[in-house]
Amino acid sequence: LSNGVAGRPEREKGAPWIARAAEAGDTTAMLNHADNLRWGQGLTRDPVEARRWYRKALTVPDPKLRQRARRSLDALEKELSKE
């Protein structure tokens, strides 16, 4: 739904499912949920909550996901410091 694999992306429909998966501990969903919050894709933009999810993703076992979370968190921190 949210990425448009089966057609046009429907972020408003996909974002709540991604959030539920993140809350249930799905590590990829944690990063996707943080991205959605950071950019306001399918839900209200909330960079502070995005920061919390990126930080949570830094604790996952997968090193590639941790690396992605670190890059995203660093970029978000730079954005927030400019506000």
Side-chain angles (χ1 to χ4, degrees):
L1 287 171
S2 69
N3 66 8
V5 171
R8 190 179 67 76
E10 296 185 44
R11 299 203 189 283
E12 291 77 23
K13 291 181 181 178
W17 291 102
I18 291 170
R20 285 186 198 119
E23 290 164 4
D26 183 289
T27 56
T28 301
M30 287 178 190
L31 287 170
N32 291 334
H33 183 49
D35 289 342
N36 287 343
L37 288 163
R38 179 180 176 191
W39 302 112
Q41 296 176 330
L43 39 80
T44 303
R45 185 176 183 276
D46 187 344
V48 174
E49 185 68 4
R51 177 195 290 155
R52 186 176 78 81
W53 280 101
Y54 286 134
R55 286 181 176 158
K56 191 169 188 167
L58 290 174
T59 67
V60 303
D62 184 325
K64 289 183 181 183
L65 290 176
R66 283 196 316 267
Q67 183 181 33
R68 181 178 155 212
R70 170 53 55 202
R71 282 194 312 265
S72 296
L73 179 60
D74 289 347
L76 177 60
E77 294 289 359
K78 285 180 185 177
E79 292 167 20
L80 291 174
S81 69
K82 293 177 184 178
E83 292 182 358

